[in-house]
Amino acid sequence: VLIVQMAQQYIGTPYRFGGRTPKAFDCAGFALFLYKHFGHNLPGWSGAQAKLGVEVSDTRNLQPGDLVFFGGRGNKKVVGHTGIVVDADPEKGTFRFIHASTGAGVIISKSTEDYYKARYITARRILM
């Protein structure tokens, strides 16, 4: 999927709150930047992004390019973080996602990591 290929070019880009350019990204800004390139305008914060597109209610149905949402550090039940699915295992319902992390900038993480497993909230499909 082209959006995933493009996203991977930015691995290592530093994190900055409010960042929306290849100089530095925050999580929602990274998704906004990538989706804009493919003709989709996203809002600049995760909570609003989580209301767009079509819900993917079962993680076994995730596809590369889908947006995944996680609770933030302060409240893991409220959307506070956005990622983009890189690949998914339809049998296990697990996935890898690329995102702008506060500690390491743009990286690929796994849904099976304890931090993200405990905070996963929903997924949305915008690219059809």
Side-chain angles (χ1 to χ4, degrees):
V1 177
L2 292 174
I3 197 165
V4 172
Q5 291 173 352
M6 183 179 173
Q8 289 175 330
Q9 296 172 13
Y10 296 101
I11 288 175
T13 299
Y15 177 91
R16 188 178 75 229
F17 182 77
R20 297 180 179 185
T21 73
K23 290 182 182 175
F25 292 111
D26 69 11
C27 62
F30 186 52
L32 177 155
F33 173 82
L34 293 166
Y35 270 79
K36 188 174 189 177
H37 183 81
F38 292 94
H40 297 273
N41 289 316
L42 299 185
W45 63 285
S46 299
Q49 291 177 353
K51 295 178 176 146
L52 300 175
V54 177
E55 183 181 16
V56 182
S57 58
D58 187 337
T59 56
R60 291 176 295 188
N61 296 326
L62 286 173
Q63 297 175 0
D66 288 345
L67 294 176
V68 285
F69 298 94
F70 302 88
R73 278 197 221 119
N75 183 345
K76 62 183 177 183
K77 294 186 189 306
V78 175
V79 171
H81 192 66
T82 304
I84 299 169
V85 174
V86 172
D87 53 40
D89 182 331
E91 291 183 12
K92 295 179 182 169
T94 59
F95 56 92
R96 292 187 318 139
F97 61 101
I98 190 166
H99 60 118
S101 70
T102 53
V106 177
I107 58 169
I108 293 176
S109 297
K110 296 176 182 170
S111 63
T112 54
E113 294 172 31
D114 288 343
Y115 182 86
Y116 296 108
K117 191 162 57 173
R119 287 173 167 74
Y120 177 77
I121 295 178
T122 190
R124 307 295 290 193
R125 181 162 299 144
I126 299 191
L127 300 174
M128 301 292 177

